[in-house]
């Protein structure tokens, strides 16, 4: 059955729910009992409508409008009731004017435009402009076989389209990559298992580390049934790891998403000797390269699975330039950083999370039971006027109203918190590929694509949701409940052509949120094969720069003159013997130390030695800070090392680096 809901704010939400059994007797009554008696008439109206919607969706006399896909066959109306009630609540908040109408338009793409945008998004605009840019050449030199094939496929489509349109002359792909074969290929890096920095280290055993472990095991609703354990490896690209093409037909009608947390596998991550790297551990310059490589890898991953990588072309909406709600995250952070330098998550968002963590985690039905619409509207206006003056009274804010403000903040962002371009692609993958591991790998790459402001804000939000689930015993909100409530707030957009596919796949979007919450510790970890490629990309760029300098006649003449003026041979750049590093700690009383490395020396051992040497001389502030060892320069911009990283391996991968102990960026 298809249901279309329209409001005055030019928002069209088209929702599909499959034919399903009649509702369980007593379900409506038990749902009504969850509503506090203090709710406003508008709230009662919302729940009345919600029950009416669910009766419509569960009417056995109505045949299904479409063949049932994975998500559509997965949940009956009772299990998705919270989702549809949240949709209705969002609609009413827009009808009463508490949220401003904004248009987020999905533009149709002309033939060839998507390929051109894709090449630009992966840092290969040189293939469009014809210029020989060093960064583009360095990027191409790092690609694996499947990644190179993905780039080649998009470039071929782009050039064929231009020729059909009789546009400007397009360089042949064989001229760009120096191949004479009619089916050109890139020169690719080896795909055999190597270390995370591209250096083969024989005789070393992998280290296993459970990343999703304790907090995730505690958030399952079915404690008596243990999760299945699977392994994840970051040493080889995900696309290269697909050796058998999984079946892509839709799931059978009798197969369903299992709501129990124990149905989700527990993943054990194979940790290399270089340790694990989180997204905040790399410099912004290197994270930009990670984003380029992640989009190429995501495309190659979909190609290997035989699934189309669909993409929305979104016309960005210009948000407000001041205030709190409806302001782009980057603008909010620019304003907030004038008050708190270095802040990564907007102050208003932090304060709403803090309020709920301090007083709302044990509130029954938190996030699900709506606050008063009139109170939320008044609080919204008062926050806009008083927040930055520090005159807003947070004690007056009830927990359910704070939750309503939090969800309103996310919905009113001019651009969605989780970028919308590739969301249809992920929904398609979940619909066609049932293996959770493959879904998680695709989601992992999508997270790597997020802009920094979105990523940091999403991380704070997911950490809060994990705390909500951890308090399930008191707040009655398990992982699936939270996922159903959050999904509409993340994946329903304002626009003339709101994305109907996400609404039709209600259970799928809830499943996506469930994966985000459950596996967030994994998702914020940068795959080591991407770091390896960044190192190679930096090395290629440095080599190109050196070659360019050597061919510069003026530079060569200057070097000859300087050489002739020398009275004695220049000292070697370093007199430090092999396997010894000099570590600098500018905030300590003893600012440097030469340390002999062996095969078992870890980053935490070096930190412990400095702590012991400086335990008396350092200031109280330094002793109270959490210090980390950083790898700086060489073939990496800046890299905060995992305490369990084996230093001799890191040193051999980047012998030109400097080693500095300083506080980790928060």
């Amino acid at each position: 059955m298809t249901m279309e809901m329209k409001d005055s704010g030019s928002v069209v939400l088209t929702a599909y729910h499959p034919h399903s059994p009649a509702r369980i007797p007593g379900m409506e009554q038990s749902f009504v009992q969850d509503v506090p008696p203090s709710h406003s008439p508008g709230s009662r109206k919302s729940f009345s409508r919600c029950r009416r919607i669910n009766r419509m969706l569960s009417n056995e006399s109505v045949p299904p409008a479409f063949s049932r896909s994975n998500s559509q066959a997965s949940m009956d109306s009772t299990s998705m009731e919270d989702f549809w009630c949240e949709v209705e609540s969002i609609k009413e908040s827009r009808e009463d004017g508490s949220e401003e109408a904004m248009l987020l338009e999905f533009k149709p793409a002309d033939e060839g435009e998507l390929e051109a945008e894709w090449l630009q998004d992966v840092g290969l605009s040189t293939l469009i402009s014809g210029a020989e840019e060093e960064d583009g050449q360095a990027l191409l030199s790092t690609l694996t076989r499947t990644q190179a094939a993905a780039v080649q496929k998009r470039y071929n489509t782009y050039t064929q389209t231009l020729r059909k349109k009789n546009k400007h002359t397009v360089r042949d792909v064989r001229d760009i990559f120096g191949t004479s074969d009619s089916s050109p290929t890139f020169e690719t890096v080896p795909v055999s298992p190597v270390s995370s920095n591209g250096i083969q280290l024989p005789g070393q055993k992998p280290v296993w580390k459970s990343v999703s472990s304790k907090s995730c095991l505690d958030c399952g609703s079915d404690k008596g049934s243990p999760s299945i354990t699977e392994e994840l490896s970051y040493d080889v690209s995900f696309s290269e790891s697909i050796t058998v093409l999984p079946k892509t037909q839709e799931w059978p009608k009798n197969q369903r998403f299992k709501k129990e947390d124990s149905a989700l596998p527990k993943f054990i991550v194979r940790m290399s000797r270089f340790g694990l790297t989180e997204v905040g551990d790399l410099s912004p310059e290197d994270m930009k390269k990670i984003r380029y490589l992640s989009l190429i890898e995501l495309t190659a991953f979909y190609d290997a699975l035989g699934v189309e990588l669909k993409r929305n072309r979104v016309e960005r909406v210009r948000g407000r330039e001041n205030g709190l709600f409806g302001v782009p995250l980057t603008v909010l952070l620019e304003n907030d950083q004038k008050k708190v330098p270095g802040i990564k998550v907007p102050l208003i968002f932090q304060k709403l999370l803090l309020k709920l963590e301090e007083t709302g985690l044990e509130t029954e039905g938190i996030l699900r039971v709506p606050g008063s619409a009139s109170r939320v509207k008044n609080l919204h206006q008062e926050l806009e006027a008083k927040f930055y003056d520090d005159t807003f009274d947070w004690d007056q804010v009830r927990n359910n109203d704070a939750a309503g403000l939090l969800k309103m903040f996310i919905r009113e962002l001019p651009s969605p918190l989780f970028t919308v371009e590739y969301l249809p692609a992920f929904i398609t993958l979940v619909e066609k590929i049932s293996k959770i591991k493959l879904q998680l790998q695709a989601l992992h790459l999508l997270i790597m694509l997020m802009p920094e402001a979105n990523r940091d804000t999403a991380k704070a939000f997911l950490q809060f949701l994990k705390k909500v689930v951890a308090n399930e015993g008191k707040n009655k909100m398990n992982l699936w409940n939270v996922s159903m409530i959050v999904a509409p707030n993340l994946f329903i957009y304002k626009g003339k052509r709101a994305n109907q596919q996400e609404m039709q796949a209600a259970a799928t979007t809830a499943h996506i949120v469930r994966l985000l919450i459950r596996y967030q510790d994994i998702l914020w970890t940068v795959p080591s094969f991407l770091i390896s490629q960044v190192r190679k990309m930096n090395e290629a760029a440095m080599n190109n720069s050196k070659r360019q300098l050597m061919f510069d006649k003026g530079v060569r003449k200057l070097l000859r003159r300087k050489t002739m003026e020398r009275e004695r041979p220049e000292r070697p750049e370093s007199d430090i013997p092999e396997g010894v590093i000099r570590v600098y700690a500018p905030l300590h009383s003893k600012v440097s130390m030469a340390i002999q490395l062996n095969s078992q020396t870890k980053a935490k051992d070096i930190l412990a030695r400095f702590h012991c040497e400086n335990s008396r001389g350092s200031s109280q502030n330094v002793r109270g800070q959490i210090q980390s060892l950083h790898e700086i320069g060489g073939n990496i911009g800046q890299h905060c090392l995992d305490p369990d990283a084996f230093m001799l391996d890191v040193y051999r991968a980047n012998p030109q680096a400097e080693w500095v102990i300083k506080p980790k960026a928060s």
Side-chain angles (χ1 to χ4, degrees), residues 10-283:
S10 298
V11 179
V12 180
L13 304 178
T14 302
Y16 169 72
H17 202 284
H19 171 71
S20 57
R23 299 187 54 188
I24 300 174
M27 176 60 71
E28 292 184 15
Q29 182 63 32
S30 65
F31 190 73
V32 173
Q33 290 173 354
D34 287 337
V35 184
S38 61
H39 274 287
S40 63
S43 297
R44 296 191 194 99
K45 178 183 175 184
S46 173
F47 280 94
S48 176
R49 278 194 193 177
C50 187
R51 290 195 300 269
R52 200 161 58 247
I53 291 170
N54 278 282
R55 282 197 297 270
M56 292 166 59
L57 295 174
S58 61
N59 189 342
E60 288 190 64
S61 64
V62 180
F66 306 102
S67 62
R68 306 206 316 180
S69 66
N70 173 16
S71 68
Q72 293 165 346
S74 60
M75 296 291 171
D76 59 20
S77 62
T78 57
S79 63
M80 291 302 297
E81 184 169 12
D82 285 347
F83 183 99
W84 298 115
C85 287
E86 187 69 13
V87 170
E88 186 68 12
S89 177
I90 293 171
K91 179 176 178 289
E92 288 188 351
S93 70
R94 293 176 180 174
E95 286 177 338
D96 66 14
S98 61
E99 294 187 30
E100 297 179 10
M102 252 186 318
L103 300 182
L104 182 63
E105 295 196 40
F106 295 86
K107 298 177 61 179
D110 293 335
E111 190 177 8
E113 285 186 354
L114 285 179
E115 286 75 18
E117 290 180 2
W118 185 91
L119 290 168
Q120 291 175 337
D121 289 346
V122 300
L124 292 174
S125 57
T126 176
L127 300 185
I128 300 173
S129 65
E132 294 185 3
E133 299 176 8
E134 291 182 8
D135 288 347
Q137 295 298 326
L139 175 58
L140 289 172
S141 69
T142 71
L143 300 182
T144 66
R145 175 183 55 82
T146 52
Q147 291 171 354
V151 173
Q152 185 174 315
K153 179 180 178 182
R154 272 76 197 169
Y155 182 72
N156 286 341
T157 302
Y158 167 71
T159 55
Q160 290 167 9
T161 302
L162 287 189
R163 289 192 181 99
K164 288 179 183 177
K165 294 181 177 180
N166 295 320
K167 294 209 173 179
H168 59 81
T169 304
V170 180
R171 292 184 299 167
D172 192 282
V173 70
R174 291 168 291 185
D175 299 331
I176 298 173
F177 302 107
T179 57
S180 57
D181 188 90
S182 59
S183 300
T185 58
F186 295 76
E187 181 181 352
T188 62
V189 299
V191 296
S192 57
V194 294
S195 74
S196 62
N197 294 277
I199 298 175
Q200 187 70 45
L201 301 172
Q204 294 176 345
K205 296 181 180 180
V207 181
W208 294 86
K209 186 171 184 178
S210 175
V211 176
S212 59
S213 55
K214 297 181 181 177
S215 59
C216 292
L217 289 177
D218 292 339
C219 68
S221 59
D222 187 356
K223 306 296 183 182
S225 179
S227 299
I228 301 170
T229 299
E230 295 188 38
E231 73 173 69
L232 286 175
S233 174
Y234 293 154
D235 288 337
V236 181
S237 76
F238 299 154
S239 58
E240 293 288 347
S241 302
I242 299 173
T243 55
V244 178
L245 189 65
K247 295 180 179 179
T248 58
Q249 72 269 19
E250 294 178 350
W251 289 17
K253 291 184 178 182
N254 60 352
Q255 187 146 355
R256 301 165 179 260
F257 281 139
K258 295 182 179 179
K259 294 183 295 179
E260 295 77 12
D261 188 34
S262 60
L264 296 176
K266 173 186 174 184
F267 286 105
I268 304 295
V269 176
R270 180 190 297 172
M271 186 175 69
S272 75
R273 290 178 65 85
F274 299 88
L276 297 174
T277 300
E278 296 181 358
V279 287
D281 292 342
L282 295 173
S283 66

Side-chain angles (χ1 to χ4, degrees), residues 212-428:
S212 59
S213 55
K214 297 181 181 177
S215 59
C216 292
L217 289 177
D218 292 339
C219 68
S221 59
D222 187 356
K223 306 296 183 182
S225 179
S227 299
I228 301 170
T229 299
E230 295 188 38
E231 73 173 69
L232 286 175
S233 174
Y234 293 154
D235 288 337
V236 181
S237 76
F238 299 154
S239 58
E240 293 288 347
S241 302
I242 299 173
T243 55
V244 178
L245 189 65
K247 295 180 179 179
T248 58
Q249 72 269 19
E250 294 178 350
W251 289 17
K253 291 184 178 182
N254 60 352
Q255 187 146 355
R256 301 165 179 260
F257 281 139
K258 295 182 179 179
K259 294 183 295 179
E260 295 77 12
D261 188 34
S262 60
L264 296 176
K266 173 186 174 184
F267 286 105
I268 304 295
V269 176
R270 180 190 297 172
M271 186 175 69
S272 75
R273 290 178 65 85
F274 299 88
L276 297 174
T277 300
E278 296 181 358
V279 287
D281 292 342
L282 295 173
S283 66
E285 295 78 12
D286 285 339
M287 279 306 302
K288 183 178 180 180
K289 295 166 188 172
I290 290 289
R291 283 192 285 273
Y292 290 158
L293 291 162
S294 296
L295 181 50
I296 295 174
E297 172 63 17
L298 179 69
T299 308
F301 185 69
Y302 271 69
D303 287 350
L305 290 173
V307 178
E308 181 185 359
L309 182 64
K310 298 179 180 178
R311 175 182 178 179
N312 283 326
R313 295 182 74 241
V314 182
E315 183 173 337
R316 299 296 177 185
V317 178
R318 185 187 178 113
R320 300 166 56 196
E321 295 184 357
N322 51 60
L324 301 174
F325 293 77
V327 180
L329 287 174
T330 51
V331 175
L332 267 178
L333 287 172
E334 287 175 7
N335 296 335
D336 289 350
Q337 285 167 357
K338 297 173 184 176
K339 190 171 185 178
V340 184
I343 193 170
K344 293 187 175 183
V345 178
L347 288 172
I348 178 61
F349 196 71
Q350 288 191 42
K351 188 61 182 178
L352 288 169
L353 293 178
L354 181 62
K355 168 68 178 177
L356 287 166
E357 288 178 8
E358 288 179 343
T359 64
L361 289 179
E362 297 182 357
T363 301
E364 185 170 343
I366 193 65
L367 296 178
R368 175 173 56 79
V369 177
S372 163
S374 60
R375 283 200 308 267
V376 170
K377 182 177 180 179
N378 292 334
L379 289 170
H380 174 198
Q381 295 171 348
E382 192 175 347
L383 274 168
E384 292 281 7
K386 298 181 178 180
F387 179 75
Y388 283 118
D389 296 335
D390 294 326
T391 57
F392 182 79
D393 180 15
W394 286 96
D395 292 335
Q396 67 172 320
V397 182
R398 305 184 188 185
N399 292 327
N400 290 332
D401 294 341
L405 288 167
L406 181 70
K407 292 185 288 186
M408 179 189 292
F409 177 89
I410 292 171
R411 291 194 305 270
E412 287 203 354
L413 288 172
S415 297
L417 183 59
F418 288 90
T419 48
V420 67
E421 284 86 347
Y422 291 100
L423 181 63
F426 188 73
I427 289 179
T428 301

